[in-house]
């Protein structure tokens, strides 16, 4: 999905807060202009930044996984060299405000030691094993080199941590690539990435054997330094026995894709729990666990088929599922497969197998979120009109909308026009012979509405961030005082400031969940 204006402003704000205004100028230049060479950035960035500074800033942003270098193969017969360009990774910038969510997932699933290793990678962008050990030694609460190694091994096995991508992938010249004929099956599997950013990320991502290598087996003579996890440059899969070569150390970074994967699964379970019941949520959670290894990307529409037996085996592994008999699991699957006037099927049954319909589950939550905004902003009558148009999925004339939504026909056009002006409806005018007033048709365009919602949420999140920063800055001196030293009016004031900070932080947290629902899921 294309970046909106407030999406860009919000991303620039995140970089400004964490890296400063000079770095944010380079980032904003890439966000607004698209991929550029370092020379073009130093020329186009709205600041007095020389070329060497631009290169340093780019290296910093690459270190923190916000920018990816790449080049495009020159046309055949051309003597020009491929120019290295830099593309900003918008999604990774947004992920920077989700680090607490990522840490919580690891702490709950793998324990606090793995959480400490992940925190080191999140705060530093990417590190080698030796750098993680050195960082642990310098910290106040050391957990030891053995624990660091074991924790990193667990994080890689769970795919929460990955090897860094190729530093400078070369893309094929798309204009020259011949169109290959593919069968129907191949066309479904091999889909052309939609954007240049997706092409670059795909080209930079190594195969799983390299991305998540099993290289933690320790020799009896080896030491716990970078070189214990080395991979040779030639084969990239074998251990490097030359411990004196620091350039061969494997560099690790957080795998944001896996975290968003887990958060998407968690959101699906919560949606089903709210729309169905606890039993259906337990069964769906088990289905997601069974099919997780088959999902190759986050935005998967459907899971792989799975049998009742495999689902039940996973259900009884959990404490909540041990009380469920197979009959109860089958009843929950029937409930999840059922459709109604207000809910689609969340699971599809096919040849005695069951498939999770992620698209249906996510779309229900998105619809509820949009309708809630329409209700708050325009009232009940507008809400009924919007819901009716969403269900119809086509252009409908004004009078029919008034009849279906039970609203006054004289008020209906004004309400529809308000929603149209704010981008929530699509309008079409039909000129009819012999009349001066055009015939108006209305429709909900989900793609346009989703973009509008996202832009508004970026704007709201930006405002909340600015408000929180203002509150903290204005009460900086008070917040620096120990709470046990505050008395009387100062104590009450301190409580109000902390309560306000908690409210703003929790609102930002929930708003980011909504952003993920529309942007990442």
């Amino acid at each position: 999905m294309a970046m909106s204006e407030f999406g860009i402003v919000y991303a620039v704000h995140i970089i400004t807060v964490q890296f400063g205004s000079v770095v944010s100028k380079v980032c904003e230049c890439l966000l607004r202009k698209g991929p550029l060479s370092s020379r073009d950035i130093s020329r186009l960035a709205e600041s007095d930044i020389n070329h060497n500074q631009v290169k340093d800033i780019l290296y910093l942003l690459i270190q923190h996984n916000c920018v990816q270098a790449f080049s495009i193969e020159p046309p055949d017969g051309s003597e020009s060299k491929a120019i290295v360009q830099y593309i900003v990774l918008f999604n990774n910038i947004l992920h920077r405000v989700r680090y607490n969510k990522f840490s919580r997932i690891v702490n709950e699933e793998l324990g606090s030691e793995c959480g400490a290793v992940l925190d080191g990678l999140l705060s530093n962008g990417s590190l080698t094993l030796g750098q993680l050990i050195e960082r642990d030694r310098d910290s106040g609460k050391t957990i030891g080199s053995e624990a660091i190694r074991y924790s990193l091994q667990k994080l890689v096995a769970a795919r929460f941590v990955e090897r860094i991508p190729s530093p400078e992938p070369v893309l094929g010249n798309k204009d020259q690539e011949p169109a290959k004929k593919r069968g129907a099956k191949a066309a479904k599997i091999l889909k052309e990435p939609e954007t240049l950013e997706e092409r670059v990320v795909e080209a930079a991502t190594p195969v799983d054997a390299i991305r998540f290598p099993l290289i933690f087996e320790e020799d009896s003579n080896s030491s716990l330094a970078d070189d214990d996890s080395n991979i040779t440059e030639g084969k990239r899969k074998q251990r490097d026995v030359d411990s004196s070569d620091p350039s061969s150390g494997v560099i690790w970074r957080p795998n944001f894709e896996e975290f968003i994967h887990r958060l998407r699964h968690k959101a699906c379970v919560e949606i089903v729990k709210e729309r169905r019941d606890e039993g259906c949520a337990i069964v769906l959670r088990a289905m997601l666990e069974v099919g997780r290894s088959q999902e190759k990307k986050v935005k998967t529409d459907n899971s792989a088929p799975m049998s009742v037996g495999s689902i039940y085996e996973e259900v009884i592994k959990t404490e909540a599922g041990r009380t469920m008999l197979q009959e109860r699991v089958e009843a929950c699957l029937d409930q999840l497969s059922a459709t109604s006037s207000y809910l689609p099927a969340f699971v599809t049954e096919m040849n005695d197998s069951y498939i999770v319909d992620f698209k249906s589950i996510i779309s229900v939550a998105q619809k509820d979120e949009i309708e809630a905004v329409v209700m708050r902003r325009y009232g009940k009558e507008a809400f009924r009109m919007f819901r009716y148009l969403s269900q119809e999925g086509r252009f409908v004339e004004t009078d029919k909308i008034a009849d279906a939504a039970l609203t006054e026909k004289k008020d209906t056009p004004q309400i529809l026009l308000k929603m149209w002006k704010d981008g929530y409806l699509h309008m079409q005018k039909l000129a009819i012979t012999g009349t001066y007033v055009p015939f108006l048709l209305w429709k909900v365009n989900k793609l346009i509405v989703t973009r509008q919602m996202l832009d508004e949420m970026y704007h709201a999140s930006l405002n909340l961030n600015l408000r929180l920063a203002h509150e903290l800055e204005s009460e900086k001196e008070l917040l620096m005082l120990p709470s046990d030293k505050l008395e009387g009016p100062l104590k009450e004031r301190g409580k109000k400031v902390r309560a306000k900070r908690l409210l703003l932080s929790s609102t930002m947290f929930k708003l980011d969940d909504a952003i993920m629902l529309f942007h990442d899921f």
Side-chain angles (χ1 to χ4, degrees), residues 179-381:
K180 294 180 181 178
K181 290 186 178 180
R182 292 172 179 164
K185 188 175 180 182
K188 288 180 182 178
I189 298 170
L190 301 170
K191 291 183 180 179
E192 191 70 27
E194 295 178 357
T195 64
L196 179 60
E197 182 180 340
E198 288 173 335
R199 287 183 67 205
V200 171
V201 170
E202 184 180 307
T205 304
V207 295
D208 284 358
I210 298 173
R211 190 179 177 191
F212 308 104
L214 301 173
I215 53 172
F216 291 92
E217 293 80 4
E218 192 177 348
D219 283 338
S220 58
N221 297 328
S222 65
S223 61
L224 291 170
D226 299 3
D227 28 86
D228 284 324
S229 17
N230 286 351
I231 294 179
T232 57
E233 195 62 28
K235 295 185 180 178
R236 313 229 11 207
K237 290 184 183 179
Q238 298 178 3
R239 296 279 301 274
D240 184 355
V241 296
D242 182 12
S243 61
S244 63
D245 183 10
S247 66
S248 59
V250 177
I251 306 174
W252 306 98
R253 72 170 190 176
N255 179 17
F256 297 135
E257 189 178 75
E258 183 63 25
F259 287 110
I260 297 299
H261 214 144
R262 300 295 178 99
L263 289 170
R264 187 186 196 227
H265 281 187
K266 185 180 177 182
C268 287
V269 172
E270 290 299 319
I271 292 164
V272 167
K273 184 178 178 181
E274 188 178 331
R275 304 313 190 282
R276 295 297 187 187
D277 57 33
E278 181 71 35
C280 288
I282 292 169
V283 171
L284 182 75
R285 188 182 290 111
M287 294 179 76
L288 298 178
E289 198 63 39
V290 171
R292 179 183 293 169
S293 61
Q294 304 283 338
E295 294 176 39
K296 301 301 180 187
K297 58 179 182 177
V298 174
K299 291 187 179 181
T300 304
D301 288 345
N302 299 290
S303 72
M306 54 196 85
S307 65
V308 175
S310 63
I311 296 168
Y312 186 64
E313 282 178 20
E314 192 61 42
V315 166
I316 59 176
K317 288 180 183 178
T318 63
E319 188 176 344
R322 288 189 194 109
T323 59
M324 297 179 72
L325 299 175
Q326 186 162 329
E327 289 179 3
R328 170 69 174 133
V329 172
E330 290 174 357
C332 287
L333 288 168
D334 290 339
Q335 198 175 346
L336 288 166
S337 305
T339 59
S340 66
S341 58
Y342 62 94
L343 274 184
F346 293 150
V347 168
T348 306
E349 186 179 0
M350 186 183 295
N351 300 326
D352 296 326
S353 294
Y354 293 89
I355 299 167
V356 179
D357 190 339
F358 290 108
K359 193 174 182 180
S360 290
I361 297 171
I362 297 298
S363 66
V364 165
Q366 288 175 342
K367 182 174 73 70
D368 287 354
E369 196 74 33
I370 294 168
E371 288 180 353
V373 171
V374 171
M375 170 74 91
R376 286 196 302 269
R377 187 171 296 179
Y378 307 105
K380 289 183 180 179
E381 291 182 338

Side-chain angles (χ1 to χ4, degrees), residues 3-34 45-47 57 61 66-67 88-97 458-459 461-463 465-466:
M3 287 179 284
S4 63
E5 175 59 27
F6 280 112
I8 292 172
V9 176
Y10 180 43
V12 171
H13 171 76
I14 293 169
I15 296 295
T16 303
V17 170
Q18 298 186 4
F19 298 105
S21 59
V22 178
V23 176
S24 71
K25 290 291 183 185
V26 171
C27 186
E28 183 173 11
C29 182
L30 288 171
L31 283 165
R32 294 194 179 278
K33 306 289 185 184
E46 295 178 5
S47 184
I57 290 169
L61 291 170
C66 297
V67 165
V88 71
L89 303 177
F90 178 71
N91 292 349
N92 286 7
I93 294 175
L94 295 187
H95 293 333
R96 298 191 68 81
V97 300
Y458 291 141
H459 192 186
S461 195
L462 174 66
N463 287 340
N465 274 273
L466 293 171

Side-chain angles (χ1 to χ4, degrees), residues 22-23 26 42 47-59:
V22 178
V23 176
V26 171
S42 57
S47 184
D48 296 328
I49 313 173
N50 62 45
H51 186 235
N52 288 332
Q53 285 177 303
V54 166
K55 287 170 72 175
D56 290 339
I57 290 169
L58 288 170
Y59 293 149

Side-chain angles (χ1 to χ4, degrees), residues 481-497:
L481 295 173
S483 55
D484 57 338
K485 299 288 184 182
L486 299 176
E487 294 180 358
L490 277 179
K491 188 174 184 180
E492 288 301 315
R493 191 171 135 205
K495 282 183 180 178
K496 287 181 180 179
V497 171

Side-chain angles (χ1 to χ4, degrees), residues 455-471:
D455 201 42
E456 290 178 4
M457 286 190 284
Y458 291 141
H459 192 186
S461 195
L462 174 66
N463 287 340
L464 285 169
N465 274 273
L466 293 171
R467 178 63 185 272
L468 180 59
H470 171 73
E471 293 291 338

